[in-house]
Amino acid sequence: VMSSIMCQDGVDFGRDVRLLAEMTITGNKPTVGAGREFYSALAHDEELFEKTVEFVLSQGIPGSVEIYVQSTPSVPSEIRYITWTDEVVNNPSGLVCMRLVAPLRDGEGMLLCGEILHRSREMGAAPNLRHAVALRNNQEKIPASWRPYELLIAGSIGENGSPNTRFVVVMKYIQPSWRLMPRKTGGGFGKNVRLLGIEQITPPSN
């Protein structure tokens, strides 16, 4: 059942401290009320845990995506007029698992791009342009439930020669397909922005 929620076969999500922290932060919000007693009940009652999983699955899960990411893909023609640099250099290639991560916190309606980029580093959710290209090239694997969101690709920054002008890549669904677009870092994003958490499943083949 749990395989319907997140990638497995190499990604041991039980050891993903960031994901567990995100879960407890959300659960501990006053509007949610899942404190120590709630998590203790889940931890010690397998039947209750199973019922909880079944309920969550019935609500529709944004899901995760497994794709193969090349180490050095070509830059798509629509954003080739911008020079892109990887500012996060330790992201994995090979077969990876991507999942949505919400950067805005409870009560925030929008956030400047610079702050989202800062949070993306803390969350481990700053993939590079090559990950966005791989995702765009395999978009038949992207869940339809991702379509309302703008996916900010936070690990690569672009410049076009204009002073004090930098760009990020945003991946957006415009029917009938997902598209890659540059967005200036001086602006902001609303509640529909999402980052991409990334985990390596298997390394690149030699």
Side-chain angles (χ1 to χ4, degrees), residues 63-81:
S64 54
V65 179
E66 292 183 16
I67 57 171
Y68 192 88
V69 178
Q70 301 285 347
S71 299
T72 55
S74 59
V75 177
S77 58
E78 62 265 35
I79 57 173
R80 199 171 291 162
Y81 66 95

Side-chain angles (χ1 to χ4, degrees), residues 85-89 121 128 154-157 166:
T85 302
D86 288 347
E87 291 205 342
V88 177
V89 297
R121 275 61 167 173
N128 304 116
S156 298
I157 299 295
R166 285 155 55 93

Side-chain angles (χ1 to χ4, degrees), residues 29-186:
K29 291 179 179 179
T31 55
V32 179
R36 177 181 295 274
E37 294 81 5
F38 172 81
Y39 294 110
S40 178
L42 283 182
H44 299 102
D45 189 332
E46 185 174 341
E47 183 178 354
L48 176 62
F49 204 123
E50 185 176 350
K51 289 180 179 179
T52 303
V53 171
E54 290 176 354
F55 173 76
V56 172
L57 288 175
S58 72
Q59 303 304 299
I61 303 299
S64 54
V65 179
E66 292 183 16
I67 57 171
Y68 192 88
V69 178
Q70 301 285 347
S71 299
T72 55
S74 59
V75 177
S77 58
E78 62 265 35
I79 57 173
R80 199 171 291 162
Y81 66 95
I82 296 173
T83 301
W84 297 96
T85 302
D86 288 347
E87 291 205 342
V88 177
V89 297
N90 59 347
N91 281 320
S93 297
L95 185 62
V96 304
C97 173
M98 296 186 189
R99 60 182 174 82
L100 297 182
V101 176
L104 271 68
R105 297 167 183 160
D106 191 35
E108 293 178 334
M110 67 88 61
L111 204 62
L112 291 176
C113 183
E115 177 59 24
I116 296 178
L117 293 178
H118 175 72
R119 293 183 185 182
S120 73
R121 275 61 167 173
E122 295 179 338
M123 295 175 169
N128 304 116
L129 177 58
R130 68 180 186 274
H131 299 91
V133 171
L135 194 58
R136 196 276 306 269
N137 291 346
N138 294 274
Q139 56 185 275
E140 71 280 357
K141 296 183 178 182
I142 304 176
S145 55
W146 287 23
R147 292 177 182 177
Y149 303 115
E150 289 186 307
L151 311 183
L152 195 163
I153 310 303
S156 298
I157 299 295
E159 297 180 324
N160 66 352
S162 299
N164 302 317
T165 302
R166 285 155 55 93
F167 300 88
V168 290
V169 174
V170 171
M171 195 166 171
K172 187 173 183 178
Y173 184 79
I174 301 177
Q175 194 170 0
S177 62
W178 286 88
R179 302 182 188 181
L180 298 177
M181 308 177 189
R183 183 79 65 84
K184 292 182 179 179
T185 58

Side-chain angles (χ1 to χ4, degrees), residues 23-34:
M23 179 182 68
T24 54
I25 289 172
T26 300
N28 287 337
K29 291 179 179 179
T31 55
V32 179

